[in-house]
Every structure is written in C-alpha cells, then in structure tokens.
C-alpha cells in the first residue's frame, strides 16, 4: 500500500565554522490519509530540522539535505525545484510555526496575507479570496472574521494570531499539516484551546497531521503514533497507546517517568535523565543515548543500534529493548 507521505533515510547537515553539525541522521517514517503522527524529542534532537528539510525550508548555506527521499503523492519533495516546491507548499503540505508573531508580516493586513496564497494556489480573484479567508477565520473561531481582515497582526492576541496561522495553513485544503510546536508561545489555557481546535479541524477536514513537540504528555490523546527522536535519530517508533503502556527504549522510558502524574495514589518520585544531550558535531558511531543511559553495555559504545522491529508496527533502536520493556522505573533493577 502506498502512503500519503513517506520519508526515507533523511540526512541533513549544517556546515559551520565550528564543524559539521549532524542534525538529522537517517530518519524514516510514513503518514497515511487522515492519520496523525507526533515527532517527540528534547530541543536539538532534530525534529524541526527534519520536517523543514522535507518542506525545503533549510537555509543553504549552511544547511544541506545530504540524502533521502520524501515522497508525497508519488513525488519526491527533495527533488523538486524551488518554484515547484512553492506550488506544493500551502496547497498540498502546509506548516504552522512556533511563534505566530514572527511568522506573520507585521506591516501587511491579515486579509492581504491570507488571500495571497489563495490567489497563487487556487487562482481565486480578490473578492472570492477575501470570502474564503473570512470563512477560514470563522472556522477557527475568530469573532467578526470579515471585519478583521483589514487589521494588522499586532491588533490580535497571541492565541488569536495562532488561530490566524492555522486558518492560513488550511485555506488551500492541504493533505498534510505540520504543526511545529504551535502552542509553545501561548499560556496553558490557550494551549488547550489550540490543541482542541486542531483536533476538531482534522476530524472535519480529514487531513493528516504531523505534530512536532518536546512534550510527550501533550500527544497522549491526540495522535495515532509517535516517533521519539534523540541525537538526530528516531530511537523509537510506535502506536501511541503501546508506547505509553510499554516503552521499548530507555530514553522513552526516561521521558515517561519525568512526566508528573495526576493520580494522587501514584507517589513515584519523578525521574531525571542525568547528563547532557549529545554533541551533534560528532558523527553518530555509537548509541547517542549511551552516555546518559543506565542500561548501557559495551556494545552500545561500539555500534549504533539500528531501528529494528520489536512488535506489531513497533520499532526500537536499542540493543536491550527486551529488558527495557519490563522496567517499571527509569534505571530499574534490571540495569
């Protein structure tokens, strides 16, 4: 069966004065119509660089996509010209960025920014594009949508600006929506509203979504599967419920045990992951998590484990995944 989006062996590097940064080191995943995938990892794990690579948004220089494929509807995005990519972005695959204030042009009205893509991608005239823009703003819950098309970004709150960004992203009915930590700059109450809004829009419009986040708790009830990234690699790939019930990688286990529990009966002390993230200027020739892992063995320091099947639709990059799956605490007795 062909997938809507299939990313294969994606490698992206940055050539800097301090050395080569190995940002993404052979990432692969798939996405089907209407499906939702979360790419989870701490800052610097490569999750945002990976999706920006397939969107053609990596600044070059210093960045360069060294190899890989990103097949969307049978076309390799990595082989498209700049003009071809511009036609694809917004129409077939769209992205919501972290900070709506820096993503919106402060000197152009919201109406001008929303109608531009509609005219380019769908060939709408000015009046039709304005009507569509107002409909999309109304869809994302912005009051007095038609009247507000003449307003500028600074006239909206942070939550409203993010709703505008979502409306802009969905205006051309893309098949895939990438949400790159869209709630980071918002307070907790507005975060919940934005997450719920995107979930509702996905159900209504039937699009596929990739969520990029550092918050494993955020994705529990909103995605079908999770790719956990560390050091530019996917270290675990699993249906979301299986991942929470029985992680197959020590990094995932550590992330889960670092999450606060709402159950008052669960008095387990929160675990911390000691040490520092890997230096991405070093080529990954060992398990990137080995220096911080309580389950490390000599083989981990000699060879980087490949992402291998560990169950139905499950994969882990760990030599000791069978031991890890039985652990109840991070750094447990079996280490």
């Amino acid at each position: 069966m062909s997938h809507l989006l299939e990313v294969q062996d994606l490698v992206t590097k940055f050539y800097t004065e301090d050395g080569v940064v190995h940002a993404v080191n052979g990432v692969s995943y798939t996405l089907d119509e209407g499906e939702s995938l979360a790419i989870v990892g701490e800052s610097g794990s490569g999750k945002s660089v990976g999706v920006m690579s397939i969107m053609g948004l990596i600044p070059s220089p210093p960045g360069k996509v060294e190899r890989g494929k990103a097949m969307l509807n049978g076309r390799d995005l990595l082989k498209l010209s700049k003009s071809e990519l511009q036609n694809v972005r917004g129409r077939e695959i769209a992205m919501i960025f972290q900070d709506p204030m820096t993503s919106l042009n402060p000197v152009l009205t919201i109406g001008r920014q929303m109608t531009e893509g509609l005219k380019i991608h769908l060939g709408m005239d000015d009046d039709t594009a304005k009507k569509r823009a107002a409909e999309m703003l109304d869809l994302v819950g912005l009051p007095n949508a038609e009247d507000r098309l003449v307003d500028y970004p600074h006239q909206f709150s942070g939550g409203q600006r993010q709703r505008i960004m979502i409306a802009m992203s969905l205006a051309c009915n893309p098949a895939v929506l990438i949400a790159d930590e869209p709630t980071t700059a918002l307070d907790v109450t507005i975060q919940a509203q934005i997450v719920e809004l995107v979930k509702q829009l996905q159900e209504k419009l039937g699009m596929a979504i990739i969520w990029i986040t550092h918050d494993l708790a955020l994705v529990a009830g909103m995605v079908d599967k999770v790719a956990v990234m560390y050091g530019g690699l996917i270290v675990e790939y699993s249906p979301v419920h299986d991942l929470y019930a029985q992680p197959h990688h020590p990094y995932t286990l550590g992330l889960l045990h670092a999450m606060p529990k709402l159950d008052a009966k669960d008095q387990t002390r929160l675990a911390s992951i000691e040490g520092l993230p890997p230096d991405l200027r070093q080529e990954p020739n060992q398990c990137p998590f080995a220096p911080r892992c309580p389950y490390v063995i000599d083989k981990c320091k000699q060879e980087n484990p490949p992402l291998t099947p560990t169950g139905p639709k499950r994969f882990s990059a760990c030599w000791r995944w069978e031991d890890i799956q039985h652990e109840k605490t991070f750094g447990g007795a079996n280490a």
Side-chain angles (χ1 to χ4, degrees), residues 30 72 130 150 169 172 184 212 266 269 325:
T30 62
L72 176 65
K130 286 180 180 178
V150 297
S169 300
C172 296
T184 298
I212 309 296
D266 190 344
R269 186 180 180 86
Q325 68 176 331

Side-chain angles (χ1 to χ4, degrees), residues 229-251:
M229 285 194 71
Y230 186 82
L233 295 155
I234 291 178
V235 295
E236 184 162 5
Y237 189 66
S238 169
V240 62
H241 299 300
D242 294 339
L243 184 104
Y244 277 83
Q246 197 174 63
H248 285 182
H249 194 280
Y251 179 57

Side-chain angles (χ1 to χ4, degrees), residues 20-267:
V20 179
V21 177
H22 303 269
V24 178
N25 300 306
V27 164
S28 300
Y29 57 84
T30 62
L31 189 69
D32 295 325
E33 290 185 14
E35 192 175 37
S36 52
L37 163 71
I39 301 179
V40 178
E42 60 194 63
S43 296
S45 62
K47 54 190 188 298
S48 293
V49 173
V51 294
M52 291 181 74
S53 296
I54 68 175
M55 292 281 288
L57 297 175
I58 295 295
S60 178
K64 184 180 180 182
V65 179
E66 295 284 357
R67 70 168 188 266
K69 291 183 178 180
M71 306 300 296
L72 176 65
N73 290 322
R75 287 186 298 171
D76 188 353
L77 298 178
L78 302 183
K79 291 184 178 179
L80 298 183
S81 66
K82 287 185 177 181
S83 60
E84 289 173 328
L85 262 177
Q86 286 176 345
N87 289 329
V88 169
R89 287 197 298 257
R91 185 169 187 173
E92 296 180 47
I93 183 169
M95 193 166 182
I96 309 169
F97 295 94
Q98 291 185 26
D99 186 356
M101 199 58 206
T102 58
S103 301
L104 292 168
N105 190 323
V107 300
L108 296 179
T109 65
I110 293 303
R112 170 76 181 276
Q113 295 183 63
M114 288 197 66
T115 56
E116 185 176 8
L118 293 167
K119 293 175 183 178
I120 293 172
H121 294 304
L122 301 183
M124 291 183 176
D125 60 34
D126 194 54
D127 289 341
T128 307
K130 286 180 180 178
K131 183 179 179 181
R132 171 67 172 172
E135 289 173 354
M136 294 307 300
L137 291 179
D138 185 61
L139 183 65
V140 299
L142 202 71
N144 306 314
E146 189 171 356
D147 295 335
R148 304 223 61 183
L149 289 174
V150 297
D151 290 339
Y152 291 85
H154 73 271
Q155 295 175 269
F156 297 86
S157 68
Q160 289 175 327
R161 287 194 293 265
Q162 196 57 287
R163 288 173 184 267
I164 292 166
M165 285 298 300
I166 293 169
M168 289 176 64
S169 300
L170 299 180
C172 296
N173 294 321
V176 179
L177 177 67
I178 299 173
D180 186 6
E181 305 215 40
T183 62
T184 298
L186 308 175
D187 65 53
V188 175
T189 304
I190 304 301
Q191 283 183 15
Q193 293 176 7
I194 295 298
V195 168
E196 187 60 32
L197 171 64
V198 175
K199 285 172 62 177
Q200 291 173 359
L201 291 173
Q202 182 187 22
E203 292 174 4
K204 185 173 183 176
L205 303 176
M207 61 191 169
I209 294 184
I210 299 176
W211 283 91
I212 309 296
T213 181
H214 63 275
D215 187 356
L216 198 54
L218 180 70
V219 304
M222 54 186 283
V223 300
D224 302 306
K225 57 189 181 182
V226 180
V228 180
M229 285 194 71
Y230 186 82
L233 295 155
I234 291 178
V235 295
E236 184 162 5
Y237 189 66
S238 169
V240 62
H241 299 300
D242 294 339
L243 184 104
Y244 277 83
Q246 197 174 63
H248 285 182
H249 194 280
Y251 179 57
T252 311
L253 184 66
L255 290 178
L256 290 172
H257 282 284
M259 288 167 45
K261 307 294 191 298
L262 294 178
D263 187 353
K265 296 178 182 178
D266 190 344
Q267 299 298 322

Side-chain angles (χ1 to χ4, degrees), residues 271-305:
S272 61
I273 302 176
E274 302 294 337
L276 298 171
D279 183 353
L280 295 179
R281 291 172 299 179
Q282 304 295 322
E283 190 135 10
N285 52 18
Q286 66 166 20
C287 174
F289 193 58
R292 306 174 71 184
C293 182
Y295 308 93
V296 66
I297 56 177
D298 288 342
K299 190 176 184 181
C300 304
K301 300 176 182 178
Q302 298 164 357
E303 188 179 351
N304 193 3

